[in-house]
Short mmCIF file of all heavy atoms in Angstrom, two decimals:
data_model
loop_
_atom_site.label_atom_id
_atom_site.label_comp_id
_atom_site.label_asym_id
_atom_site.label_seq_id
_atom_site.Cartn_x
_atom_site.Cartn_y
_atom_site.Cartn_z
N ASP A 22 232.58 -5.97 30.96
CA ASP A 22 232.33 -6.22 32.38
C ASP A 22 232.21 -7.72 32.66
O ASP A 22 231.51 -8.43 31.94
CB ASP A 22 231.05 -5.50 32.82
CG ASP A 22 230.87 -5.50 34.33
OD1 ASP A 22 231.87 -5.25 35.04
OD2 ASP A 22 229.75 -5.75 34.79
N GLY A 23 232.92 -8.18 33.64
CA GLY A 23 232.88 -9.59 34.01
C GLY A 23 234.08 -10.37 33.52
O GLY A 23 234.25 -11.54 33.87
N VAL A 24 234.93 -9.73 32.72
CA VAL A 24 236.13 -10.40 32.20
C VAL A 24 237.30 -10.17 33.15
O VAL A 24 237.57 -9.04 33.55
CB VAL A 24 236.47 -9.90 30.78
CG1 VAL A 24 237.85 -10.38 30.34
CG2 VAL A 24 235.42 -10.36 29.79
N TYR A 25 237.98 -11.26 33.50
CA TYR A 25 239.16 -11.17 34.36
C TYR A 25 240.43 -10.95 33.55
O TYR A 25 241.39 -10.36 34.03
CB TYR A 25 239.31 -12.45 35.18
CG TYR A 25 238.17 -12.69 36.13
CD1 TYR A 25 237.23 -13.68 35.88
CD2 TYR A 25 238.03 -11.94 37.29
CE1 TYR A 25 236.19 -13.91 36.76
CE2 TYR A 25 236.99 -12.16 38.17
CZ TYR A 25 236.07 -13.15 37.90
OH TYR A 25 235.03 -13.37 38.77
N GLY A 26 240.44 -11.44 32.31
CA GLY A 26 241.61 -11.28 31.44
C GLY A 26 241.40 -11.99 30.13
O GLY A 26 240.56 -12.88 30.00
N SER A 27 242.18 -11.60 29.12
CA SER A 27 242.11 -12.21 27.80
C SER A 27 243.48 -12.11 27.16
O SER A 27 244.20 -11.13 27.36
CB SER A 27 241.07 -11.46 26.95
OG SER A 27 240.91 -12.09 25.69
N ARG A 28 243.84 -13.14 26.40
CA ARG A 28 245.16 -13.14 25.78
C ARG A 28 245.21 -14.04 24.56
O ARG A 28 244.36 -14.90 24.36
CB ARG A 28 246.22 -13.60 26.77
CG ARG A 28 246.06 -15.05 27.20
CD ARG A 28 247.09 -15.52 28.20
NE ARG A 28 248.42 -15.64 27.68
CZ ARG A 28 248.90 -16.71 27.06
NH1 ARG A 28 248.13 -17.77 26.87
NH2 ARG A 28 250.14 -16.75 26.63
N LEU A 29 246.23 -13.82 23.77
CA LEU A 29 246.55 -14.68 22.64
C LEU A 29 246.90 -16.06 23.17
O LEU A 29 247.54 -16.18 24.22
CB LEU A 29 247.75 -14.08 21.89
CG LEU A 29 248.50 -14.91 20.88
CD1 LEU A 29 247.65 -15.09 19.63
CD2 LEU A 29 249.81 -14.24 20.52
N THR A 30 246.49 -17.09 22.47
CA THR A 30 246.88 -18.44 22.86
C THR A 30 247.24 -19.23 21.61
O THR A 30 246.90 -18.84 20.49
CB THR A 30 245.76 -19.15 23.67
OG1 THR A 30 246.28 -20.35 24.23
CG2 THR A 30 244.56 -19.46 22.81
N GLY A 31 247.91 -20.31 21.79
CA GLY A 31 248.33 -21.12 20.66
C GLY A 31 249.60 -20.57 20.03
O GLY A 31 250.36 -19.84 20.67
N GLY A 32 249.82 -20.88 18.78
CA GLY A 32 251.04 -20.48 18.09
C GLY A 32 251.06 -19.05 17.60
O GLY A 32 252.07 -18.58 17.11
N GLY A 33 249.93 -18.37 17.73
CA GLY A 33 249.88 -17.00 17.26
C GLY A 33 249.60 -16.91 15.77
O GLY A 33 249.02 -17.82 15.19
N PHE A 34 250.01 -15.83 15.16
CA PHE A 34 249.83 -15.60 13.73
C PHE A 34 248.37 -15.72 13.32
O PHE A 34 248.03 -16.36 12.33
CB PHE A 34 250.70 -16.55 12.91
CG PHE A 34 252.15 -16.53 13.30
CD1 PHE A 34 252.71 -17.57 14.01
CD2 PHE A 34 252.94 -15.44 12.99
CE1 PHE A 34 254.03 -17.55 14.39
CE2 PHE A 34 254.27 -15.40 13.36
CZ PHE A 34 254.82 -16.46 14.07
N GLY A 35 247.47 -15.13 14.13
CA GLY A 35 246.06 -15.15 13.80
C GLY A 35 245.32 -16.33 14.39
O GLY A 35 244.24 -16.66 13.93
N GLY A 36 245.87 -16.95 15.40
CA GLY A 36 245.25 -18.12 16.04
C GLY A 36 243.97 -17.77 16.78
O GLY A 36 242.95 -17.49 16.17
N CYS A 37 244.03 -17.77 18.09
CA CYS A 37 242.83 -17.51 18.86
C CYS A 37 243.19 -16.91 20.22
O CYS A 37 244.36 -16.78 20.55
CB CYS A 37 241.99 -18.76 19.03
SG CYS A 37 242.85 -20.16 19.74
N THR A 38 242.17 -16.55 20.95
CA THR A 38 242.36 -15.98 22.27
C THR A 38 241.67 -16.88 23.29
O THR A 38 240.76 -17.64 22.96
CB THR A 38 241.77 -14.56 22.38
OG1 THR A 38 240.36 -14.60 22.20
CG2 THR A 38 242.40 -13.62 21.37
N VAL A 39 242.09 -16.74 24.53
CA VAL A 39 241.41 -17.39 25.65
C VAL A 39 241.06 -16.26 26.62
O VAL A 39 241.87 -15.37 26.87
CB VAL A 39 242.27 -18.49 26.31
CG1 VAL A 39 243.55 -17.95 26.87
CG2 VAL A 39 241.48 -19.23 27.36
N THR A 40 239.82 -16.29 27.10
CA THR A 40 239.32 -15.23 27.97
C THR A 40 238.70 -15.86 29.21
O THR A 40 237.86 -16.74 29.09
CB THR A 40 238.27 -14.38 27.21
OG1 THR A 40 238.89 -13.83 26.04
CG2 THR A 40 237.75 -13.26 28.09
N LEU A 41 239.13 -15.39 30.36
CA LEU A 41 238.55 -15.84 31.62
C LEU A 41 237.46 -14.85 32.00
O LEU A 41 237.72 -13.66 32.16
CB LEU A 41 239.64 -15.89 32.70
CG LEU A 41 239.24 -16.44 34.05
CD1 LEU A 41 238.74 -17.88 33.92
CD2 LEU A 41 240.43 -16.38 35.01
N VAL A 42 236.22 -15.35 32.13
CA VAL A 42 235.05 -14.49 32.32
C VAL A 42 234.12 -15.12 33.35
O VAL A 42 234.05 -16.35 33.46
CB VAL A 42 234.32 -14.25 30.99
CG1 VAL A 42 233.83 -15.53 30.37
CG2 VAL A 42 233.20 -13.26 31.12
N LYS A 43 233.41 -14.28 34.09
CA LYS A 43 232.40 -14.79 35.01
C LYS A 43 231.37 -15.58 34.21
O LYS A 43 230.96 -15.17 33.13
CB LYS A 43 231.69 -13.63 35.73
CG LYS A 43 232.54 -12.90 36.71
CD LYS A 43 231.74 -11.79 37.38
CE LYS A 43 232.60 -11.03 38.36
NZ LYS A 43 231.85 -9.93 38.98
N LYS A 44 230.94 -16.71 34.77
CA LYS A 44 229.98 -17.59 34.08
C LYS A 44 228.75 -16.82 33.63
O LYS A 44 228.29 -16.97 32.50
CB LYS A 44 229.58 -18.73 35.03
CG LYS A 44 228.53 -19.66 34.48
CD LYS A 44 229.14 -20.71 33.61
CE LYS A 44 228.11 -21.76 33.26
NZ LYS A 44 228.37 -22.34 31.96
N GLU A 45 228.21 -15.96 34.51
CA GLU A 45 226.98 -15.24 34.17
C GLU A 45 227.18 -14.16 33.10
O GLU A 45 226.22 -13.62 32.56
CB GLU A 45 226.34 -14.62 35.42
CG GLU A 45 227.20 -13.62 36.14
CD GLU A 45 228.09 -14.21 37.23
OE1 GLU A 45 228.27 -15.44 37.29
OE2 GLU A 45 228.61 -13.42 38.02
N SER A 46 228.42 -13.88 32.76
CA SER A 46 228.72 -12.87 31.73
C SER A 46 229.12 -13.47 30.40
O SER A 46 229.33 -12.75 29.43
CB SER A 46 229.84 -11.94 32.22
OG SER A 46 229.48 -11.27 33.39
N SER A 47 229.24 -14.80 30.34
CA SER A 47 229.82 -15.42 29.14
C SER A 47 228.99 -15.21 27.87
O SER A 47 229.55 -14.88 26.83
CB SER A 47 230.09 -16.91 29.37
OG SER A 47 228.91 -17.60 29.63
N GLN A 48 227.69 -15.39 27.92
CA GLN A 48 226.89 -15.22 26.70
C GLN A 48 226.89 -13.77 26.25
O GLN A 48 226.96 -13.48 25.05
CB GLN A 48 225.45 -15.72 26.88
CG GLN A 48 224.66 -15.74 25.57
CD GLN A 48 225.33 -16.59 24.49
OE1 GLN A 48 225.62 -17.76 24.70
NE2 GLN A 48 225.56 -16.00 23.33
N GLY A 49 226.82 -12.83 27.19
CA GLY A 49 226.90 -11.41 26.83
C GLY A 49 228.22 -11.08 26.17
O GLY A 49 228.27 -10.30 25.21
N LEU A 50 229.31 -11.67 26.67
CA LEU A 50 230.62 -11.45 26.07
C LEU A 50 230.66 -12.01 24.65
O LEU A 50 231.14 -11.33 23.74
CB LEU A 50 231.71 -12.11 26.91
CG LEU A 50 233.11 -12.09 26.28
CD1 LEU A 50 233.62 -10.68 26.10
CD2 LEU A 50 234.07 -12.93 27.10
N ILE A 51 230.15 -13.21 24.47
CA ILE A 51 230.14 -13.80 23.13
C ILE A 51 229.37 -12.91 22.16
O ILE A 51 229.84 -12.63 21.05
CB ILE A 51 229.55 -15.23 23.17
CG1 ILE A 51 230.54 -16.18 23.88
CG2 ILE A 51 229.21 -15.74 21.77
CD1 ILE A 51 229.98 -17.55 24.19
N ASP A 52 228.19 -12.46 22.56
CA ASP A 52 227.39 -11.57 21.69
C ASP A 52 228.16 -10.29 21.38
O ASP A 52 228.17 -9.82 20.24
CB ASP A 52 226.07 -11.23 22.37
CG ASP A 52 225.17 -12.45 22.56
OD1 ASP A 52 225.39 -13.48 21.89
OD2 ASP A 52 224.25 -12.37 23.41
N HIS A 53 228.80 -9.71 22.40
CA HIS A 53 229.59 -8.48 22.25
C HIS A 53 230.75 -8.70 21.27
O HIS A 53 230.97 -7.88 20.37
CB HIS A 53 230.11 -8.07 23.63
CG HIS A 53 231.16 -7.02 23.63
ND1 HIS A 53 230.90 -5.70 23.30
CD2 HIS A 53 232.48 -7.07 23.95
CE1 HIS A 53 232.02 -5.00 23.41
NE2 HIS A 53 232.99 -5.81 23.80
N LEU A 54 231.48 -9.80 21.43
CA LEU A 54 232.62 -10.07 20.55
C LEU A 54 232.17 -10.25 19.11
O LEU A 54 232.77 -9.68 18.19
CB LEU A 54 233.38 -11.31 21.02
CG LEU A 54 234.16 -11.18 22.32
CD1 LEU A 54 234.75 -12.53 22.71
CD2 LEU A 54 235.23 -10.11 22.23
N ILE A 55 231.14 -11.04 18.91
CA ILE A 55 230.67 -11.30 17.54
C ILE A 55 230.24 -10.00 16.86
O ILE A 55 230.62 -9.73 15.72
CB ILE A 55 229.53 -12.34 17.55
CG1 ILE A 55 230.09 -13.72 17.92
CG2 ILE A 55 228.80 -12.38 16.20
CD1 ILE A 55 229.03 -14.78 18.17
N GLU A 56 229.47 -9.19 17.56
CA GLU A 56 228.95 -7.95 16.97
C GLU A 56 230.05 -6.90 16.76
O GLU A 56 230.20 -6.35 15.66
CB GLU A 56 227.87 -7.37 17.87
CG GLU A 56 227.22 -6.11 17.32
CD GLU A 56 226.09 -5.60 18.20
OE1 GLU A 56 225.45 -6.41 18.89
OE2 GLU A 56 225.87 -4.38 18.18
N ASP A 57 230.82 -6.62 17.80
CA ASP A 57 231.81 -5.55 17.69
C ASP A 57 233.04 -5.92 16.87
O ASP A 57 233.64 -5.07 16.23
CB ASP A 57 232.21 -5.06 19.08
CG ASP A 57 231.13 -4.21 19.73
OD1 ASP A 57 229.96 -4.28 19.27
OD2 ASP A 57 231.43 -3.47 20.68
N TYR A 58 233.41 -7.19 16.87
CA TYR A 58 234.52 -7.64 16.03
C TYR A 58 234.17 -7.44 14.56
O TYR A 58 234.98 -6.97 13.77
CB TYR A 58 234.84 -9.10 16.31
CG TYR A 58 236.02 -9.63 15.54
CD1 TYR A 58 237.32 -9.37 15.96
CD2 TYR A 58 235.84 -10.41 14.40
CE1 TYR A 58 238.40 -9.87 15.25
CE2 TYR A 58 236.92 -10.91 13.69
CZ TYR A 58 238.20 -10.64 14.12
OH TYR A 58 239.28 -11.12 13.42
#
Side-chain angles (χ1 to χ4, degrees):
D22 191 44
V24 169
Y25 297 107
S27 184
R28 65 181 291 274
L29 166 72
T30 191
F34 307 106
C37 56
T38 63
V39 61
T40 301
L41 184 60
V42 60
K43 290 181 181 179
K44 176 84 170 149
E45 61 269 14
S46 300
S47 63
Q48 188 57 55
L50 172 63
I51 289 170
D52 295 342
H53 168 70
L54 290 175
I55 290 171
E56 183 177 331
D57 285 18
Y58 183 80

